[in-house]
């Protein structure tokens, strides 16, 4: 991880707290905001979307605990990634994703984000617009199964806090 940071990578962690206490670290993101990011795996989609030569960053790892899904944490994480990318000059970013049976909730969420940001689907994941991703917000009125696939969750309010100390509030839907 230290060599990743020395090469211009950024490591973000997400912690979750609600009225019942702390869940601890529930998510982590490794991203490259430098314009020298390895975009070879995105070559086909960048060409087909006419983004060849555009300022594109890369999310190498996006991981979160399933207990955090549906609580707005995934929204806060995508928003933070979009903000980091945009502030570092990356108009777009590739988010690597391996579709598997057990990560269907995140897959549905990322499909929703892709449509919200007018992004692109790629064999390796998604290409998302940074500034639009930065505006992603949790909407408790939307069905949870559409956003994250969660079937149930506790009521209450909490915060998703990023390692930089910035904090974003969320209010989970009542189920």
């Amino acid at each position: 991880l230290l060599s990743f940071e020395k090469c211009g990578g950024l490591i973000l962690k997400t912690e979750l707290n609600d009225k019942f206490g702390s869940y601890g670290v529930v998510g982590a993101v490794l991203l490259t905001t430098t314009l020298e990011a390895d975009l070879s795996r995105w070559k086909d989609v960048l060409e087909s979307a006419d983004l060849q030569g555009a300022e594109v960053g890369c999310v190498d790892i996006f991981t979160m605990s399933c207990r955090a899904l549906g609580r707005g944490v995934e929204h806060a994480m995508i928003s933070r990634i979009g903000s980091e990318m945009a502030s570092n000059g990356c108009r777009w970013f590739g988010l690597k994703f391996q579709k598997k049976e057990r990560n269907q909730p995140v897959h549905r969420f990322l499909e929703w984000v892709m449509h919200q940001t007018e992004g692109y689907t790629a064999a390796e994941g998604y290409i998302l617009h940074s500034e639009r991703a930065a505006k992603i917000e949790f909407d408790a009125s939307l069905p949870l199964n559409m956003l994250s696939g969660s079937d149930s969750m506790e009521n209450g309010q909490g915060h998703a806090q990023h390692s930089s100390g910035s904090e974003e509030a969320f209010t989970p839907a009542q189920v």
Side-chain angles (χ1 to χ4, degrees):
L1 292 178
L2 290 175
S3 64
F4 182 78
E5 284 184 310
K6 286 181 183 177
C7 294
L10 182 61
I11 301 168
L12 304 173
K13 71 175 182 175
T14 304
E15 297 177 346
L16 176 64
N17 300 297
D18 68 11
K19 68 180 182 180
F20 300 108
S22 174
Y23 290 78
V25 176
V26 296
V29 176
L30 273 66
L31 54 96
T32 307
T33 58
T34 61
L35 301 181
E36 292 82 33
D38 179 14
L39 301 174
S40 59
R41 67 177 157 246
W42 308 104
K43 185 177 185 240
D44 292 340
V45 74
L46 291 173
E47 286 175 359
S48 68
D50 199 25
L51 296 174
Q52 197 69 3
E55 298 83 12
V56 181
C58 187
V59 176
D60 294 299
I61 295 177
F62 177 90
T63 185
M64 65 181 297
S65 169
C66 59
R67 66 188 176 176
L69 282 170
R71 296 175 176 271
V73 175
E74 60 271 42
H75 300 76
M77 289 173 71
I78 289 291
S79 178
R80 176 67 188 278
I81 292 167
S83 295
E84 289 292 337
M85 292 293 185
S87 68
N88 283 283
C90 299
R91 289 191 53 221
W92 298 87
F93 64 93
L95 192 147
K96 187 176 175 181
F97 181 76
Q98 293 179 347
K99 185 179 174 183
K100 296 186 178 183
E101 184 63 35
R102 63 183 225 170
N103 64 11
Q104 286 300 307
V106 173
H107 174 66
R108 284 192 295 273
F109 171 71
L110 291 174
E111 283 287 317
W112 177 82
V113 169
M114 191 246 334
H115 290 290
Q116 295 297 309
T117 65
E118 299 176 27
Y120 302 91
T121 303
E124 294 283 334
Y126 301 93
I127 303 286
L128 305 173
H129 190 274
S130 299
E131 289 179 1
R132 293 180 195 132
K135 295 176 183 174
I136 293 291
E137 293 182 352
F138 180 61
D139 184 349
S141 68
L142 293 175
L144 290 176
N145 62 353
M146 187 205 74
L147 295 180
S148 64
S150 296
D151 294 326
S152 65
M153 60 187 287
E154 300 166 20
N155 297 329
Q157 293 186 344
H159 297 318
Q161 185 169 1
H162 301 285
S163 60
S164 68
S166 66
E167 194 170 282
E168 299 186 32
F170 69 93
T171 305
Q174 296 182 4
V175 177

